[in-house]
Amino acid sequence: MSIQLESGAPGGPIQDSWDTYRFDTALVNPNNKRRFELLVVGTGLAGAAAAASLAQLGYQVKAFTFHDSPRRAHSIAAQGGINAAKNYKNDGDSVYRLFYDTVKGGDFRARERNVYRLAQVSVNIIDQCVAQGVPFAREYGGLLDNRSFGGAQVSRTFYARGQTGQQLLLGAYSALMEQVAKGTVTLFPKAEMLDVVTKDGRACGIITRNLQTGSIESHSGHAVLLCTGGYSNVFYLSTNAMNCNVTAAWRAHRKGAAFANPCFTQIHPTCIPASDEFQSKLTLMSESLRNDGRIWVPRDPDDKRPARQVPEPERDYFLERRYPAFGNLVPRDIASRAAKREVDSGHGVGQLGNGVYLDFSEAIGRLGEAVVRERYGNLFEMYERITDESPYQTPMRIYPAPHYAMGGLWVDYSLMTTVPGLYALGEANFSDHGANRLGASALMQGLADGYFVIPYTVGSYLSTLLGQAAVPTTDPVFAEARASVTSEVDRWLSTKGTHSVDHYHRELGKIMWENCGMARNRVGLEKAITELPQLREDFRNNVRVLGQNESVNQSLEKVARVDDFFELGELMCRDALHREESCGGHFREEHQTDEGEAKRDDEHFAYVGAWEWSGHGEPQVLHQEPLEFDYVKLTQRSYK
């Protein structure tokens, strides 16, 4: 196939684009909506919001989650807050400022009109969630409160202590389950999507595996919506839940959906450092902590005294020193690289010297412990349970870790991939964050896509299918897809190797982190591109999957996901190698300023890099969507 990258965004003034699109797009009348079946894969914020909203409109919806309940989606891990341009603090915020901050924060590698729409609908998200009963923090008088987040000089982040994602997901979950009770949504728990089914170039269904019984099942629909999150578990150690994976998006990629900007992954600066080499999961501490916490290291790299014994003059508050205008609230990529510099230069703290301090002593002295406890109490409790150290008594230790994927399936303005009828929402797509996501924007994008964008845009496509029944699951295209999935399952169970799936995943993660992690260079990337196929070949021949298909088998679940990670990892390295610039989370050491900051090349790389699948073992084809900046001036990012 020949991929065409057309954004489909309306022209004219950017502030009118979304209204223009909604007026010009074709509609499906209420009586016809119930004739369409839609498949929603994933039930986090984007998926639950989309399934509930589409069902409320009258569509027949099937929703799939590999969890036992949608409440277990990884959206609950987004702790700090959700952005919205309501300007409740009267501190200069606006839709345009949120748009500008997001484009700048993404290092000018996002599509302007998508980002502006995100800023526009952000104001509606808060009203929607309040109506659902989400318990946002409130000021003394009862008004909703806001706090600051990285990359902004205004307070626009709405929050529910340190559990904002969980509360927002419960709101979306309640809306979803209301539709399940009404019979407009059929929920399939413990179902993992293993293939997208296409006919005549259009998405017409999916193949799933029941994680409890092992049965391979076919589901047909007029459109498929992938809301399956990001892929940072390619690094093995990350802040993602252990089950987070790329399989749904990658199987869609194999069926013709272009994969955009895969090397744009985010490193979060505020994670608990690893305690040993056998650790399998990292824990995120919310960026909201940087509102009141101050980050520092001892000025003397040989100073091994406990934090409280290091006097103020001998502390280096390096973010405040380097970036006085934003201080500890610089964007995540900036803060992460700054922390890495300190640790690499020997200033790291902790037994392994792999962290920096996040100190609340000044805030406790200024506000009182009760106020700090009210704002961050549950986060402090979580930290103490993991480290056996109280942040009220001694500073937290933090260090950057893989967190969010800005790359994902390429989508146009309507959120459709390059496969007609196949959509990608939330973190599964690439569209809104450029090369770096600002904090509190993931929840905003997931709910914007699910509640306010896809209910309009999917109708335009469905209006072209009026009178057409969904492709039946008896069609040969379903039989072919089922046979392919069944063959893959049988293959993994018949491989009687000597190493576990986790062994190979850990080795893959080491290669990716060392060569395509917080810093990249040509030598390392070329080394990884050589090593990854060799390790994958060993994996495919020597992995051992115990158990059988007809019951719960987590090794069998993992093995296919890790196989997809191998292919994704190689593409990430090739994408990072071809992009001869530094931008956002993509930091090529050959391309940096004299001060060690990212150095973009707008003349040659102001585009979205979207890759087309060419087959197993074949080089993928790069397509480019030029990015046009008519409303934001391209400048070197500065937070000083």
Side-chain angles (χ1 to χ4, degrees), residues 308-384:
R308 284 289 170 259
Q309 294 180 18
V310 180
E312 280 289 321
E314 298 178 31
R315 300 179 180 188
D316 180 12
Y317 295 92
F318 55 92
L319 291 180
E320 298 172 29
R321 170 174 55 83
R322 291 176 64 95
Y323 311 102
F326 283 74
N328 295 295
L329 287 174
V330 292
R332 292 173 177 177
D333 60 323
I334 306 288
S336 293
R337 285 195 292 273
K340 182 178 186 296
R341 279 193 293 268
E342 297 302 324
V343 171
D344 289 350
S345 64
H347 290 81
V349 302
Q351 281 191 334
L352 300 181
N354 62 344
V356 298
Y357 287 129
L358 179 61
D359 193 338
F360 289 86
S361 58
E362 188 273 339
I364 291 173
R366 171 170 49 89
L367 301 170
E369 183 176 318
V371 172
V372 173
R373 188 179 297 276
E374 182 180 359
R375 290 179 180 178
Y376 310 113
N378 60 314
L379 297 172
F380 280 34
E381 290 169 12
M382 181 169 65
Y383 181 88
E384 185 169 4

Side-chain angles (χ1 to χ4, degrees), residues 159 207 210 233 239 249 254 290 336 359 399 414 426 444 446 491 495 519 561 590 594 609 631:
Y159 64 99
I207 305 297
N210 185 304
N233 270 351
T239 68
R254 290 181 188 170
R290 291 198 276 148
S336 293
D359 193 338
Y399 190 68
S414 72
M444 176 173 59
R491 182 200 183 287
T495 304
R561 297 170 186 169
E590 304 94 328
D594 294 338
Y631 294 86

Side-chain angles (χ1 to χ4, degrees), residues 273-597:
S275 57
D276 61 58
E277 63 176 308
F278 299 106
Q279 194 165 328
S280 59
K281 175 76 175 68
L282 295 175
T283 302
L284 171 69
M285 301 308 296
S286 170
E287 182 177 310
S288 64
L289 295 170
R290 291 198 276 148
N291 272 285
D292 291 308
R294 301 179 70 195
I295 297 174
W296 63 275
V297 292
R299 292 186 181 276
D300 181 357
D302 296 323
D303 190 343
K304 305 303 179 185
R305 289 176 292 177
R308 284 289 170 259
Q309 294 180 18
V310 180
E312 280 289 321
E314 298 178 31
R315 300 179 180 188
D316 180 12
Y317 295 92
F318 55 92
L319 291 180
E320 298 172 29
R321 170 174 55 83
R322 291 176 64 95
Y323 311 102
F326 283 74
N328 295 295
L329 287 174
V330 292
R332 292 173 177 177
D333 60 323
I334 306 288
S336 293
R337 285 195 292 273
K340 182 178 186 296
R341 279 193 293 268
E342 297 302 324
V343 171
D344 289 350
S345 64
H347 290 81
V349 302
Q351 281 191 334
L352 300 181
N354 62 344
V356 298
Y357 287 129
L358 179 61
D359 193 338
F360 289 86
S361 58
E362 188 273 339
I364 291 173
R366 171 170 49 89
L367 301 170
E369 183 176 318
V371 172
V372 173
R373 188 179 297 276
E374 182 180 359
R375 290 179 180 178
Y376 310 113
N378 60 314
L379 297 172
F380 280 34
E381 290 169 12
M382 181 169 65
Y383 181 88
E384 185 169 4
R385 288 178 182 177
I386 293 171
T387 66
D388 198 30
E389 299 173 3
S390 171
Y392 299 106
Q393 304 300 325
T394 187
M396 290 183 178
R397 289 173 293 108
I398 58 170
Y399 190 68
H403 178 56
Y404 187 89
M406 286 80 67
L409 294 177
W410 182 93
V411 292
D412 62 13
Y413 192 72
S414 72
L415 304 184
M416 189 187 289
T417 69
T418 51
V419 176
L422 179 66
Y423 294 81
L425 284 65
E427 193 179 356
N429 73 37
F430 87 99
S431 67
D432 292 349
H433 305 300
N436 173 63
R437 178 176 70 82
L438 290 185
S441 292
L443 303 179
M444 176 173 59
Q445 186 208 351
L447 292 180
D449 287 355
Y451 282 139
F452 297 107
V453 178
I454 198 65
Y456 284 101
T457 62
V458 76
S460 179
Y461 171 73
L462 295 176
S463 67
T464 67
L465 304 180
L466 285 173
Q468 297 184 32
V471 177
T473 56
T474 55
D475 191 282
V477 294
F478 280 93
E480 181 182 349
R482 274 197 310 273
S484 176
V485 169
T486 301
S487 174
E488 181 188 45
V489 170
D490 292 342
R491 182 200 183 287
W492 292 125
L493 288 172
S494 65
T495 304
K496 302 301 182 182
T498 57
H499 294 299
S500 69
V501 179
D502 282 343
H503 165 79
Y504 286 103
H505 194 181
R506 185 181 291 108
E507 294 303 309
L508 164 65
K510 289 179 181 177
I511 294 174
M512 292 301 298
W513 178 246
E514 290 172 3
N515 301 291
C516 197
M518 222 185 318
R520 299 99 184 257
N521 58 60
R522 173 170 290 276
V523 173
L525 290 168
E526 290 177 342
K527 177 173 176 283
I529 290 170
T530 299
E531 291 179 346
L532 287 172
Q534 297 172 355
L535 181 62
R536 181 173 185 255
E537 185 65 20
D538 183 54
F539 162 74
R540 290 180 67 83
N541 292 321
N542 291 315
V543 71
R544 185 172 184 86
V545 179
L546 301 175
Q548 57 187 359
N549 178 47
E550 289 75 25
S551 62
V552 175
N553 188 337
Q554 291 188 331
S555 292
L556 181 58
E557 297 170 28
K558 290 179 182 178
V559 71
R561 297 170 186 169
V562 172
D563 191 43
D564 293 333
F565 275 142
F566 270 108
E567 292 185 333
L568 168 69
E570 185 175 345
L571 183 61
M572 289 172 62
C573 292
R574 293 190 182 279
D575 189 48
L577 182 63
H578 104 272
R579 189 171 282 276
E580 292 279 0
E581 65 166 352
S582 291
C583 56
H586 167 64
F587 189 73
R588 281 288 296 269
E589 294 176 335
E590 304 94 328
H591 305 286
Q592 55 182 300
T593 67
D594 294 338
E595 296 178 325
E597 305 293 355

Side-chain angles (χ1 to χ4, degrees), residues 193-210:
M193 193 205 91
L194 295 180
D195 206 357
V196 173
V197 183
T198 60
K199 183 172 184 179
D200 299 328
R202 294 174 178 262
C204 63
I206 61 174
I207 305 297
T208 63
R209 177 178 177 271
N210 185 304

